[in-house]
Amino acid sequence: MESPKPIDTSSEPNPDSSETQQPISPLQFTSLTLSLSTLLPTHFITPPKPTQIPKTLTLPTQTHLSSIHNLSLTTTSNLQSFLNPTKQFFKSTPSSNPLQTPLSLNPRRPSDPSNAVAGRRTSVVWFRNDLRVHDNECLSTANNESMSVLPVYIFDPRDYGKSKSGFDKTGPYRAAFLIESVLNLRKNLEARGSGLIVRIGKPETVIPELVKDVGADAVYAHREVSHDEVKGEEKIEMKLKDEGIEMKYYWGSTLYHVDDLPFKLDEMPTNYGGFREKVQGLKIRKTIDAIDQLRGLPVSGDVEHGEIPSLVDLGLNPTPTMNQAKATGNATLVGGESEALERLKKFASEFKAKPNKDDSTVYGANFSCKISPWLAMGCLSPRSMFDELKKSASRTISAAASNKKDGGGDAGMNWLMYELLWRDFFRFVTKKYSSAKQNNPAPVTACTGAVA
């Protein structure tokens, strides 16, 4: 096959051609499309034999090589324009060049367990009555699904001050216990590579602002049961919905999970006996271990951590008794998850050491495990308490213990299970009537009293 002649861009039109062609300048040549699978026009090279495709092509002279990078691959329609000399075909744009567009790989699905990077970019974890890192489904799930996590606690001014009846909405002792619990939560989060953002304000205002500051994709929170808390959730959810931000709720304040109840919440029995009978033998979910290394705080937004307020900041004054206890270091109740876990282990160990004959009765100062304040703040989950007592007690706690012949009612460690069930009953009933519109709600009844 005859080798094609070099292209001479300065030559005159071919006199043998049936149509008069204009000379092609070097600038125009740089925009031409080359295709090795299609015959080039006859006025550029000597045509090969009809049944053969040229194997080689002599490129332009050295003066034109600097503009070769502007060549682009185009569609067949542009090629036809090139082959038809009566049409203009010299127009091309950088955006049409695929070599100038970097390839992008689709990210793995969040559900892929081999994905080293979580599906969400940034998430906000809103702490409320769940001031712990152990058995915290909300925190664990956000950590597993996000690249960065922003833990937040908000002191709502509406929770303080005087009520309509003239009483403190939150007294100084409870407020002091809460402040200590938040301090301990921040310490435990920082020990795991995270932190805690603290604010004073209305959650429906603070949460959307923080979401915007860090560009969060979702907000994770445990559901609460009281009327005001439920209304607050709805306000935040509406604001986030307008911005396309997902609100993800979890349940972690009771021994039995709300989704595991053998009845719908609106069918919740209004007496403790009926509730206990229905949940008897119900399986309790396993606790969730604390994560040793949490996701770091978001880099974007440069959010300040915020100072944890004092009693005075919340409009409260320490009592003389509180000041005296603080000065002598004899405070009886210290808030926080760390203190709760220590007290629980100590109580379980002491109870295990007692003779079995004394299991059915608890006297004097030890009439209770005194763990209620930490349960109320969520420094300890009921499931964590149940698991620890199961491991340490002289015999396994069972909801059906009262049916045993030698049980004598709620004997031994089962009196603690009895109290945890009472706590579940009241929280589920509260949730039932705070979440649904009841025209004539049935009264809540109980057969006996209970120690929280």
Side-chain angles (χ1 to χ4, degrees), residues 53-119:
I53 298 176
K55 297 181 179 179
T56 61
L57 177 65
T58 302
L59 294 174
T61 60
Q62 184 66 30
T63 58
H64 305 145
L65 293 178
S66 61
S67 59
I68 289 298
H69 66 278
N70 290 327
L71 295 176
S72 62
L73 303 177
T74 61
T75 59
T76 305
S77 60
N78 288 334
L79 183 60
Q80 294 298 329
S81 299
F82 171 80
L83 296 177
N84 187 353
T86 62
K87 298 181 178 180
Q88 294 184 354
F89 51 87
F90 301 114
K91 183 178 294 185
S92 66
T93 60
S95 62
S96 64
N97 187 352
L99 299 179
Q100 296 181 2
T101 304
L103 296 177
S104 62
L105 299 177
N106 293 328
R108 294 179 180 178
R109 298 176 59 184
S111 59
D112 187 355
S114 64
N115 188 1
V117 180

Side-chain angles (χ1 to χ4, degrees), residues 215 266 307:
D266 56 3
E307 296 292 333

Side-chain angles (χ1 to χ4, degrees), residues 256 276-284 398-400 417:
Y256 293 120
R276 184 182 179 191
E277 182 179 354
K278 286 183 176 295
V279 300
Q280 202 168 37
L282 190 64
K283 185 177 180 180
I284 299 172
S398 172
M417 182 67 179

Side-chain angles (χ1 to χ4, degrees), residues 341-356 359 383-397 412-413 416:
L341 294 175
E342 286 297 324
R343 281 178 172 262
L344 178 60
K345 290 179 181 179
K346 182 179 179 180
F347 175 81
S349 177
E350 290 177 351
F351 200 96
K352 182 179 180 180
K354 289 182 178 181
N356 288 341
D359 280 359
R383 292 187 305 191
S384 294
M385 182 175 178
F386 176 80
D387 278 356
E388 183 63 31
L389 293 175
K390 269 203 313 183
K391 291 185 296 182
S392 304
S394 57
R395 56 175 177 261
T396 303
I397 302 174
M413 288 293 291
L416 284 175

Side-chain angles (χ1 to χ4, degrees), residues 132-151:
R132 61 182 184 270
V133 295
H134 291 83
D135 197 30
N136 192 318
E137 184 180 7
C138 182
L139 177 62
S140 299
T141 306
N143 186 81
N144 295 333
E145 296 180 350
S146 311
M147 296 176 62
S148 61
V149 176
L150 187 76

